[in-house]
Amino acid sequence: MSIKTLTTSNFRNLAYANIRFHSELNFIIGGNGSGKSSLLESIFFLGHGKSFRTSKVDTLVQTDNDNFVVSVKDDRDYQLGVKRDRSGSIDIKINGDSKFRLSDLAKNIAVQVITPETFRLFFGGPKERRRFVDLGLFHVEHQFSDLWRDFRKVLLQRNACLKNRIVGQQLDYWTEQFCVLSEKISDIRAVYVNQLQQDLQKWLAILLPDLANDIQLSYSQGWHNKKSLQVVLSENVDREKMYGHSLFGAHKFDVKFTYQKQSVDQVLSRGQQKLFLMALTIAQANLIFNKQQVSPIILIDDMGAELDKHSRKVLSVAIEQLTCQLFITAIDKSVIEATLPEQENYKMFHVEHGVISED
């Protein structure tokens, strides 16, 4: 899909706006604090029900207002909207009808983001990497969402037993369910990570051709890969009771990014790391498109950070091959000159003091 129009009201520092975007490529130019990142944030909120910049949703509402509204009309003429107030109450509408959940909204709009903070994929521990992979799985493998919801319920029950030192049939029952669901989820993730690795190579060949063949994704399922989870839990029953929660299982999986068997963040420069993240994000977006035939939306915030002119030129080659809508922010036009297509097949916007205008 692509966003035809975006309407925002009382969101961050943005003035009321009704913007018509290009179906493929959009550049947003503005100084620090101008509101360009807030524009991307509003789009991200529609796809995720949260911000990529803060966990405090009430800070997204403008001062002296009780709520914000973000809505879009896509290329199918679907109207998707969210109204969120300071108390956390949320109203989701699809084509004018309410009573929808965030998951219903996410099925209609798949949004991926690359920001300077995306480096948390490397430095933030496995939690961020889990979130990245599971976001792709949510869109690519339809049964994953239900399996993960069931698993989370079972995990809570099993953890309650361990915390309260409940043994016997009750713990055995939840452990059995826990193992069955963990192994199902693990199998699905392993297939997905393998697909991601294959698609990643195509984009690495464009963005990091000298390094592409030596960059690998390795998947850790969350317990010893040569033992069943049931055996691992039996061997660690005393440890789990001591800690009071499940130490192994599908919730502990990880994906490592390595170059010649060393962690990518220890070998690649910051600029190379950003190009790798772009390749990874594009690869995931491509998998979503191939599975759903719905084009994801990619947001790139502060493109100039860590990327020199050559890297930005290389990125332009990848952009030409994308089958999705792209939004890129930068501090000034000079940053994006190397990325501009030869054909003027894009739109340029300027943001100043929260006011968005088309150049």
Side-chain angles (χ1 to χ4, degrees), residues 259-271:
Y259 173 74
Q260 294 182 346
K261 298 184 179 181
Q262 297 184 67
S263 179
V264 163
D265 65 280
Q266 299 296 319
V267 183
L268 273 60
S269 69
R270 293 281 287 187

Side-chain angles (χ1 to χ4, degrees), residues 8-19:
T8 65
S9 178
N10 303 329
F11 188 91
R12 285 282 196 184
N13 64 333
L14 296 176
Y16 173 84
N18 186 270
I19 317 158

Side-chain angles (χ1 to χ4, degrees), residues 20-39:
R20 180 171 289 273
F21 291 118
H22 193 277
S23 61
E24 295 177 7
L25 186 55
N26 298 274
F27 294 99
I28 299 98
I29 308 300
N32 292 328
S34 63
K36 62 184 187 299
S37 295
S38 298
L39 176 57

Side-chain angles (χ1 to χ4, degrees), residues 41-82:
E41 191 178 14
S42 69
I43 297 172
F44 186 87
F45 196 93
L46 268 176
H48 297 264
K50 61 182 180 181
S51 164
F52 61 79
R53 301 164 74 189
T54 179
S55 60
K56 299 177 180 178
V57 178
D58 63 315
T59 63
L60 305 181
V61 184
Q62 284 182 2
T63 306
D64 300 328
N65 286 283
D66 295 325
N67 58 65
F68 69 78
V69 176
V70 178
S71 67
V72 300
K73 180 175 283 188
D74 68 16
D75 54 354
R76 305 164 298 175
D77 284 331
Y78 276 39
Q79 192 78 39
L80 312 172
V82 172

Side-chain angles (χ1 to χ4, degrees), residues 46 70-72 77-83 90-102 104-105 108:
L46 268 176
V70 178
S71 67
V72 300
D77 284 331
Y78 276 39
Q79 192 78 39
L80 312 172
V82 172
K83 179 181 179 181
I90 188 166
D91 181 26
I92 297 167
K93 289 188 177 182
I94 300 177
N95 292 330
D97 293 331
S98 296
K99 299 181 180 178
F100 287 99
R101 298 179 300 175
L102 281 170
D104 298 314
L105 198 60
N108 286 279

